[in-house]
Amino acid sequence: MAAMSNDFLEMHWMVTMIHHIDVGLVVLDKDYRVQVWNGFMKNHSGLTPDQVRNREIFRLFPDIPERWFRQKLDSARLLKNRSFTTWEQRPYVFRFQNYRPITGSSAFMYQNMTVCPLESIKGEIDHIALIIYDVTDEAVNKIEQKLANARLEEISRTDSITQLFNRGHWEERLRHEFARMQRSKQPSTLVMIDIDHFKAVNDQYGHVAGDEVIREVARRLKRTKRNVDIAGRFGGEEFSILLLDTQPDQALYFAERLRKAVAKTPIEFEDHAISVTVSIGISQNHPEINSPLAWVERADAALYESKKNGRNQVTFSPDGMHMDG
């Protein structure tokens, strides 16, 4: 009698513990019907054990991907081994709301899951236990860290005034694209742009106005280029842009559009309307151009010609118009 009493007490403690532990515990039979549903699952789902018992899990939670879930459980049943799913593979199994104040930025609870095959005394796997862990704190912290790293990386390659690529990152992209073009033999164009008489703008209106002129020219450059083009602030009032897979006539069309877009409308700063123009030099890639630096120098020489001949104009480098295939 005493032994039975102890066994009963031990079972009572076990059941109490299962219902109060801070992880979810679900037991499913072979037909995926719920047999055990502890307090954690009740509290977060709003469904009591009586409401879910003997009901198929896919009917209770239609957003569980049935094929993935069956494969996961069938594999554990067949191999008689535990298996695991992390929030990085799938953010959650059961979509529960997140109520934690610290990690309130997440609308749902991130979860890890352990799948445990339960062997009967006959050695058969008739049931599967699922252990659900709330890992929202860990997941949110890791996601925020990744976002912070991505922001830092973005800052490290972006010019603070124009939000174009800074010179270091632009030159890195140029080297990469130059190597690609050496293999593909596709025509591409490098364009150098310089704001005319920029020193006079600084002298007359001040450096803050000068920064706004640089910023606005960059905005017009962004509006004129395509998404695939690689634009950067080369330094001071000079910009550079790589027009990928672009024929000479297309590059000239782009450069003329940009030149007119800058010259047409004065830049507003405080009570001033500042009129500026840009000079532009273009160089097509060519077999004789054997390095990214040589390509920049040719475009820069064309830019110099635009300056020398009166500014506010576009000059194409006299080198070959495009690379022969």
Side-chain angles (χ1 to χ4, degrees), residues 228-284:
V228 296
D229 297 330
I230 302 168
R233 184 181 178 195
F234 201 72
E237 67 274 22
E238 194 169 2
F239 303 89
S240 50
I241 181 165
L242 189 57
L243 306 176
L244 302 177
D245 301 327
T246 303
Q247 297 286 353
D249 57 337
Q250 295 170 316
L252 281 170
Y253 178 73
F254 160 82
E256 276 298 317
R257 278 190 64 207
L258 176 62
R259 185 188 65 77
K260 292 174 182 176
V262 174
K264 182 179 179 181
T265 308
I267 295 169
E268 301 288 339
F269 177 74
E270 296 181 346
D271 296 330
H272 307 292
I274 305 172
S275 294
V276 295
T277 59
V278 292
S279 296
I280 299 175
I282 305 174
S283 175
Q284 188 76 17

Side-chain angles (χ1 to χ4, degrees), residues 59-309:
R59 305 288 82 78
L60 292 166
F61 295 92
D63 56 345
I64 293 177
E66 184 170 342
R67 183 178 177 184
W68 168 83
F69 193 78
R70 284 181 182 272
Q71 286 179 340
K72 198 79 182 171
L73 270 62
D74 289 348
S75 175
R77 182 182 290 113
L78 179 66
L79 300 174
K80 296 184 178 180
N81 279 330
R82 289 186 175 192
S83 64
F84 307 91
T85 299
T86 70
W87 67 270
E88 289 168 303
Q89 298 168 304
R90 177 175 170 76
Y92 56 83
V93 179
F94 300 93
R95 186 177 175 88
F96 296 155
Q97 284 187 297
N98 171 43
Y99 296 109
R100 296 188 177 213
I102 296 176
T103 51
S105 59
S106 173
F108 55 84
M109 174 198 294
Y110 286 89
Q111 298 164 0
N112 288 350
M113 178 178 73
T114 300
V115 179
C116 306
L118 301 177
E119 191 170 349
S120 70
I121 56 175
K122 295 180 181 178
E124 298 172 347
I125 306 298
D126 294 326
H127 296 82
I128 294 281
L130 311 177
I131 304 174
I132 306 296
Y133 304 90
D134 178 0
V135 292
T136 307
D137 290 350
E138 172 190 336
V140 170
N141 288 338
K142 193 164 184 177
I143 290 170
E144 288 180 348
Q145 186 178 9
K146 283 184 178 178
L147 291 174
N149 289 339
R151 283 195 291 270
L152 285 174
E153 184 179 345
E154 180 70 21
I155 290 170
S156 73
R157 66 188 187 188
T158 304
D159 175 65
S160 60
I161 292 180
T162 63
Q163 303 305 305
L164 296 172
F165 290 140
N166 59 31
R167 179 169 176 174
H169 185 71
W170 184 84
E171 288 182 335
E172 183 180 332
R173 294 291 304 272
L174 173 65
R175 287 192 291 272
H176 174 80
E177 294 298 335
F178 186 82
R180 185 183 65 82
M181 286 182 285
Q182 294 289 83
R183 296 191 300 272
S184 69
K185 310 297 184 186
Q186 291 298 314
S188 289
T189 313
L190 197 157
V191 181
M192 301 297 289
I193 305 151
D194 191 75
I195 301 173
D196 298 325
H197 301 298
F198 183 71
K199 184 175 182 301
V201 173
N202 277 337
D203 291 343
Q204 184 173 352
Y205 301 103
H207 289 279
V208 177
D211 286 347
E212 179 57 26
V213 168
I214 290 173
R215 196 176 289 115
E216 180 58 27
V217 171
R219 290 192 195 106
R220 296 180 192 185
L221 171 59
K222 289 177 190 172
R223 288 198 292 268
T224 306
K225 76 178 187 67
R226 303 167 302 181
N227 288 336
V228 296
D229 297 330
I230 302 168
R233 184 181 178 195
F234 201 72
E237 67 274 22
E238 194 169 2
F239 303 89
S240 50
I241 181 165
L242 189 57
L243 306 176
L244 302 177
D245 301 327
T246 303
Q247 297 286 353
D249 57 337
Q250 295 170 316
L252 281 170
Y253 178 73
F254 160 82
E256 276 298 317
R257 278 190 64 207
L258 176 62
R259 185 188 65 77
K260 292 174 182 176
V262 174
K264 182 179 179 181
T265 308
I267 295 169
E268 301 288 339
F269 177 74
E270 296 181 346
D271 296 330
H272 307 292
I274 305 172
S275 294
V276 295
T277 59
V278 292
S279 296
I280 299 175
I282 305 174
S283 175
Q284 188 76 17
N285 60 340
H286 187 274
E288 292 181 1
I289 300 176
N290 57 11
S291 71
L293 177 60
W295 199 10
V296 170
E297 287 175 346
R298 295 200 182 203
D300 220 22
L303 170 62
Y304 176 77
E305 287 297 312
S306 290
K307 292 277 189 185
K308 188 177 73 174
N309 294 327

Side-chain angles (χ1 to χ4, degrees), residues 6-21 25 38:
N6 287 338
D7 289 345
F8 178 79
L9 284 174
E10 185 176 346
M11 180 178 292
H12 175 74
W13 292 337
M14 290 290 288
V15 171
T16 301
M17 182 178 67
I18 287 171
H19 277 279
H20 289 85
I21 55 177
L25 179 62
N38 77 340

Side-chain angles (χ1 to χ4, degrees), residues 24-44:
L25 179 62
V26 182
V27 176
L28 303 176
D29 65 13
K30 283 184 175 179
D31 297 320
Y32 298 90
R33 291 176 305 195
V34 177
Q35 301 302 306
V36 172
W37 190 256
N38 77 340
F40 178 97
M41 299 302 291
K42 172 190 168 185
N43 295 336
H44 289 285

